[in-house]
Amino acid sequence: MQLMEQPDTTGIEYQQGTLAGWEVREYLLLKWGYRCAYCHQEATRWEVDHLQPRSRGGSHRIKNLALACHACNQEKGGRTAAEYGHPDVQTEASIPLKDAAAVNSTRLALYERLKQTGMPVETGTGGRTKWNRTQRGLPKTHWRDAACVGASTPESLQAQGVLPLLITARGRHNRQMCRTNAFGFPDKAPKKTSVVGGVRTGDIVRALVPESSKKAGVYVGRIAIRATGSCNIQTAAGTIQGIHVQYCQPLHRGDGYAYQNGRSA
Ligand SMILES: [Zn+2]
């Protein structure tokens, strides 16, 4: 936000315009929800509209910019947003993105904490990440984006043959203190965390089911267990139902995260 608000005080890349333009465009797309600020239609051709026109002293500051479709931008011409019959757009433009405001209030504290680890810490904007990734011709995935954060991203990134480990936060247990019926009235006790046969829902297990059983085979994955000892195992190939806990060996205790091998580049 600060980079966009004060484009003059920032680095060379900003003054040259490429990265700055990218940041502003990304911001405006999010801010206006990929819709024209005037006719609210999704357009295929975006234009950055100056609410107070450039020709009448309007600045490049983010508060003076809106996303407009080509038709509206043409029609508006040299008028201000208010003169064009849209004083609301003027008001809307001066309200910063809600998410950006929330992130701004915590990011500095987070940054200071991370610096205390003694490791080199760098921050970067979402706009820069996308710019870095696009410059390097990489397709969009979360892990490639992670490699493209910040100014220190190398000129070329060797993504070929990289097998990413994808970690997803899933949360632990269920903290709902009472469960409700279809009308919202509490009618059930909270879910109990059950340990059955030494394992609990969320653990990663290996099940060795003997030949004598219908479900014979070796399964590795996240377990969901019932009090009866019957469980489901979520493997890479799908969910296997009705395995008995006696065949299960815990490999990794549930820690609130799901681990998965991503596809290689
Ligand atoms: Zn429009």
Side-chain angles (χ1 to χ4, degrees), residues 44 149 178 254:
T44 46
V149 173
C178 70

Side-chain angles (χ1 to χ4, degrees), residues 14-229:
Y14 273 82
Q15 284 155 25
Q16 284 173 346
T18 40
L19 180 55
W22 197 279
E23 300 267 24
V24 167
R25 206 186 79 106
E26 287 298 307
Y27 177 87
L28 291 176
L29 285 170
L30 282 176
K31 161 100 191 168
W32 298 97
Y34 292 80
R35 282 166 192 281
C36 171
Y38 300 104
C39 67
H40 305 293
Q41 300 214 349
E42 284 186 51
T44 46
R45 193 172 152 195
W46 294 117
E47 286 173 8
V48 174
D49 173 54
H50 290 77
L51 302 175
Q52 172 83 23
R54 285 292 290 154
S55 56
R56 290 165 60 188
S59 75
H60 283 312
R61 296 192 63 176
I62 203 85
K63 281 176 190 166
N64 191 42
L65 303 176
L67 199 64
C69 70
H70 179 68
C72 288
N73 204 14
Q74 284 288 311
E75 197 181 68
K76 178 171 172 278
R79 289 179 283 180
T80 67
E83 286 165 3
Y84 182 44
H86 291 273
D88 50 306
V89 172
Q90 205 105 53
T91 319
E92 179 84 33
S94 56
I95 305 168
L97 261 185
K98 222 187 280 171
D99 292 355
V103 171
N104 273 345
S105 62
T106 51
R107 60 185 294 224
L108 188 65
L110 184 61
Y111 178 60
E112 291 301 327
R113 283 277 199 95
L114 287 170
K115 268 204 306 198
Q116 283 170 19
T117 63
M119 290 190 284
V121 181
E122 179 187 36
T123 62
T125 65
R128 179 189 279 278
T129 300
K130 191 168 175 183
W131 188 67
N132 282 345
R133 181 169 53 71
T134 311
Q135 295 288 96
R136 286 155 186 78
L138 299 170
K140 175 163 179 62
T141 54
H142 277 305
W143 68 271
R144 285 194 190 87
D145 266 348
C148 290
V149 173
S152 69
T153 304
E155 275 307 310
S156 77
L157 271 173
Q158 190 50 260
Q160 213 69 36
V162 172
L163 192 70
L165 173 65
L166 307 180
I167 305 172
T168 315
R170 282 281 163 79
R172 258 184 276 206
H173 317 305
N174 182 322
R175 290 179 178 78
Q176 208 171 1
M177 292 313 287
C178 70
R179 290 177 291 157
T180 57
N181 65 15
F183 306 102
F185 291 102
D187 70 341
K188 289 182 276 296
K191 262 190 183 171
K192 292 200 184 75
T193 314
S194 52
V195 178
V196 183
V199 298
R200 60 158 46 130
T201 294
D203 290 352
I204 307 285
V205 300
R206 174 190 281 124
L208 280 160
V209 185
E211 292 291 336
S212 54
S213 165
K214 259 193 216 164
K215 301 269 164 93
V218 181
Y219 309 105
V220 177
R222 182 184 186 274
I223 195 171
I225 195 152
R226 295 185 198 91
T228 59

